[in-house]
Amino acid sequence: AHRLAVEVKATKTEYRPGDEVDADILVKNAAGKPDRAELTVYAVDEGVLMLTSYHTPDPLPSFTGRRPLSVFSLENRDHLARILPLRRGERLANLGYERQSGAMDDKGGEGGGGGDAPRADFRATAFFQAGVVTTPDGKAHVHFKLPDNLTSYRLMAVAASQGDRFGSGDSTFRASKTLMARPSVPRILRVGDKSEVGIVVSSKGTAAIDVDVVAKVDTRAPKEEKAVGNEKVKPTKLPVIAAFVGPTQRRVHVPKGGNVEVRLPLEAKASGNIEISFKVSSGGDSDTVIVARKIDEPVHEEVTAAYGETNKAAAIGLGDLVKASTEGSLEVKMSSSALVGIDGAFDELARYPYGCTEQIASRLLPLVYVSDLARDVGVRVPAMNDAVIDEAVGALLRHQGETGGFGYWEEDREEEWLSGYVVLALDAAAKKGAFVPRGSLDRSVEYLRRALGTLHFEEGEAVDKKDDDDESESIVQTEDALTPKDKEARAFAEAAFVADVLAVIGKSDPGYLHRLYDARPKKPLFAQALLLHAMAVARMPKAELEALAEEIKQRLRITASAAVADGEAASFYAPLLDSPARTTALVLRAFLATNETHPLAPRLARGLLDFRKADAWRSTQENAWSLLALDTYRKSFERVTPDFEAKVFLGSDKIGEAGFHDRSLAESTFVVGNGRLAELGGPVSFEVSAGDAAKSNRLFYGTRLHYKTKELPKKPLDRGFFVQKLVRAVRPNELSEASKWIPRKSSPEAKAGDLVIIDVLLESAEPQSQVVIDDQLPAGLEAIDFKLDTVATLQKVDDGNVAVKKGEAAPAGMFANLGVPFREDPFHREMKDDRVLTFLNDVHPGMYHFRYLARATVPGKYVVPPTVASCMYSPEIYGRSKAETFEVRAK
């Protein structure tokens, strides 16, 4: 009786790319009479829907299904002042439902006929519109323009009407052309790759025809202008980034109802963006398709940086410039603020390649807490907009567990300290205007309050906050191996952080803070700093604040110009991501909370800035907390108006000058290309001319030399991890047997269409935490994701224990003796276009084996950068394999 019949049809079943589509919807109730309803209407590529076996939603069971009776208690005082779920000025966060931006845009070329307009607008969702309301006779009409895909679309409508009536319906239509070109280009390309890119030419409804094929590759102009000195100019000539090798025109014979593949060798010469276009024509029919690709360098950029200050003159040596290629440059910054170069930390957070819960929260925190700092220093990063803040909020909420806490990944074990860190970010985002569902935030706060009751830190108590049935181990040793005092210290640290978070969000517990204060002796320094900050925010007694601050001061390493905190030596603090830089930031933050003009703050700020490696700190944790602490510092201490002129020289040549006469954080930046570096040499020197003696005349400067090395590493490297990668091609019928073994050596080639087994071996002599294995793929391979429903499960391969094939020698190197079984610890895996990432929370001493499957796709010879394993929060601990090449041969 509650079922609505929904009929949705486009006016035609066949369209051309870029055509205008009209569709009509008719809604009837169970009696067969028209019904007024509200609709959500959308059209999606059928091939994409097949990846997850997507069914057109039927809302009826959700609203009419049987439910058991239930009784629960509710504390509603926190909700009384929040009647509306969306307050004035708030934005609706992207909570996992991506808005299909551009669905209503007018794209797709010239006019509805398709004609010869190039096809470059490829979108899986052609149309999405919610809130479509039918007329009283149950009818509605929608109009939209197709993108340039050649595919079948499913047009869907989901309806709801008064009287609890629901229903849905769908239909299909196709976008095609008489003559069609389907590109076959690797998803990624690297400098040095030689790929046989191409297209598949097919015809529809014609006899056998001869088709002319023309290919072209163009360099795309960079989106951002390049800085030269203090001026911004666009490059006058675009470099050659990629080029076809040999003829770019072919004529092929396409049989009736058939298709022909055309391949053309393309060589990637330099990094940058390209557009590859293919045009096919026969008689009056034609099709042109444009594919955009980015060509990357196969190695990471090398960066060296130095910072300093002077009120007269200073110089910095650049070192050996022989390795610097023409693609690098020297960047010099001058400022009247000690925070010169701080934009590097924002940049590092924005471009950090991984996305666990902590890293998403670390990106979000500075954006919502210190957005004015970013604006003042002129940071221009992709994350500095509301949409990305909302996206980060949505990503965090997808990692929330059933009890309100958060783990590192979806469905991962909830962690107390990590949950507190996320709550800190979500609360700040909500106060900044982003929409954070009140219920989700309240559940998280209740989780933290419950956690305080399970964290026992009084001396003499045995602590085991794990459930009895939780067999998980700590990073360094099992929970049973920790002494009671070890457990107390770690529990104290977690409790101090959770208590600090609750204080910051306005829900402090003074009684609990007193308990922490009484238990503070011999506890870790970073935990004492968190406790001091929490007590200052909660306005605890001044005598207690002064006593705790003095105790913390006695544990610092203080010199005439800087003050720093040392990290805790105990390795069981590793799960809390402790480091000297982060502890220094926490101490600076705590001291400024007790006294905004604390006399030790300038030296702590200097020490914290000195921890930077290159142009940022080592990890997302260090970057986030350093930015928060330094923003508080500059608001308190950088109040004196400067008045001076400064000049900068490279060798004997002046490369820039600037004046500083106000309290702006703006930096003067000067860039010198590596072509001039070799000519001018060094060092970089600075001169200051003071103005008003009553004002500040201190210049803060930074230099950043970056370049890319062309030579890939030919030998593996062990800096805490030994990594080995083994690759081999198999036919589908050989996969089952081949999966039982690890090969003796890696194979450098495969045929297009082959399956490729990739084995990654990892060895660690020491326990480590938060490890990522970054295994880059050659451009001619695509990793197979078994989470997709279109992948045959019979092709699945497993990680874990395997053996060396009988009669073959074991792999060389660290894994010569495979009599010891591999460890099997939980891990999280992500498959990207260019790499496969494996994340481990805990790495214990021993050997690990990881395996995944790929398919050889586009023929060519490809660069394979090293496979790298590293600690995300201690990047100096890492290991890599050697770089190689891999060839995909044509069948």
Side-chain angles (χ1 to χ4, degrees), residues 143-373:
H143 176 87
F144 57 94
K145 190 172 186 177
L146 289 177
D148 291 335
N149 308 50
L150 295 172
T151 188
S152 293
Y153 290 96
R154 190 193 305 178
L155 180 61
M156 295 166 279
V158 181
S161 72
Q162 293 181 346
D164 292 337
R165 292 189 288 273
F166 306 92
S168 61
D170 59 50
S171 63
T172 60
F173 63 87
R174 180 176 299 178
S176 63
K177 301 182 71 173
T178 303
L179 185 62
M180 294 174 282
R182 291 183 170 86
S184 176
V185 180
R187 298 181 185 180
I188 56 169
L189 285 168
R190 298 185 180 94
V191 176
D193 285 347
K194 298 178 181 179
S195 178
E196 295 184 22
V197 303
I199 57 169
V200 176
V201 184
S202 59
S203 63
K204 178 181 178 182
T206 66
I209 55 174
D210 290 326
V211 178
D212 291 316
V213 180
V214 179
K216 185 173 66 171
V217 58
D218 292 315
T219 299
R220 296 173 62 191
K223 293 182 179 180
E224 295 186 1
E225 299 174 342
K226 293 186 176 180
V228 179
N230 275 342
E231 299 179 359
K232 293 183 178 179
V233 297
K234 292 185 178 179
T236 56
K237 185 178 179 180
L238 297 177
V240 176
I241 293 176
F244 283 108
V245 180
T248 57
Q249 300 184 24
R250 303 276 181 87
R251 172 166 285 190
V252 296
H253 182 75
V254 180
K256 179 181 180 180
N259 56 71
V260 175
E261 186 178 30
V262 181
R263 293 200 172 275
L264 300 163
L266 178 76
E267 184 175 356
K269 296 178 177 293
S271 60
N273 297 308
I274 61 172
E275 287 183 346
I276 305 172
S277 63
F278 299 96
K279 181 177 181 180
V280 298
S281 57
S282 177
D285 292 321
S286 67
D287 187 22
T288 302
V289 61
I290 299 175
V291 179
R293 288 291 185 269
K294 180 182 179 183
I295 299 178
D296 291 320
E297 284 283 352
V299 292
H300 291 294
E301 184 180 53
E302 299 289 337
V303 179
T304 59
Y307 302 91
E309 59 183 277
T310 182
N311 58 2
K312 293 181 180 180
I316 296 176
L318 293 178
D320 186 8
L321 299 178
V322 174
K323 295 181 180 179
S325 71
T326 57
E327 296 185 32
S329 64
L330 170 70
E331 183 180 73
V332 181
K333 293 175 180 277
M334 298 193 300
S335 175
S336 60
S337 167
L339 274 58
V340 62
I342 201 73
D343 57 326
F346 284 97
D347 291 338
E348 185 66 23
L349 286 171
R351 65 175 177 244
Y352 193 74
Y354 313 127
C356 75
T357 302
E358 184 280 327
Q359 290 144 8
I360 297 170
S362 289
R363 289 193 195 103
L364 179 60
L365 266 173
L367 302 182
V368 293
Y369 262 113
V370 295
S371 56
D372 55 340
L373 170 62

Side-chain angles (χ1 to χ4, degrees), residues 605-622:
R606 181 72 264 161
L608 180 57
L609 288 164
D610 289 343
F611 273 114
R612 284 179 292 184
K613 303 295 183 182
D615 54 350
W617 288 270
R618 299 184 316 153
S619 67
T620 51
Q621 273 284 292
E622 291 185 2

Side-chain angles (χ1 to χ4, degrees), residues 793-837:
T793 55
L794 294 177
Q795 295 180 354
K796 189 172 184 180
V797 294
D798 296 318
D799 305 80
N801 288 316
V802 290
V804 177
K805 191 171 184 179
K806 188 175 181 180
E808 290 189 351
M814 189 70 71
F815 301 98
N817 179 13
L818 290 179
V820 178
F822 291 110
R823 296 196 64 98
E824 293 187 350
D825 287 330
F827 63 88
H828 169 80
R829 176 168 290 161
E830 294 182 358
M831 292 187 169
K832 310 288 186 180
D833 286 344
D834 62 338
R835 66 195 64 211
V836 173
L837 303 172

Side-chain angles (χ1 to χ4, degrees), residues 45-61:
D45 187 331
E46 187 70 70
V48 174
L49 297 178
M50 291 173 62
L51 295 175
T52 57
S53 298
Y54 183 86
H55 296 283
T56 303
D58 179 10
L60 190 62

Side-chain angles (χ1 to χ4, degrees), residues 708-767:
K708 295 176 181 177
T709 56
K710 299 291 186 181
E711 187 175 348
L712 290 169
K714 298 178 180 179
K715 295 181 180 180
L717 184 65
D718 184 344
R719 291 291 184 268
F721 293 118
F722 185 88
V723 183
Q724 190 169 3
K725 179 178 179 177
L726 299 162
V727 182
R728 55 192 157 134
V730 298
R731 305 301 301 167
N733 59 348
E734 303 168 342
L735 181 61
S736 177
E737 182 65 23
S739 297
K740 300 175 183 178
W741 314 107
I742 295 177
R744 181 175 61 87
K745 62 180 182 179
S746 194
S747 172
E749 63 180 21
K751 290 183 179 180
D754 278 355
L755 297 176
V756 178
I757 300 177
I758 299 173
D759 294 286
V760 177
L761 304 173
L762 173 73
E763 191 272 344
S764 177
E766 300 290 337

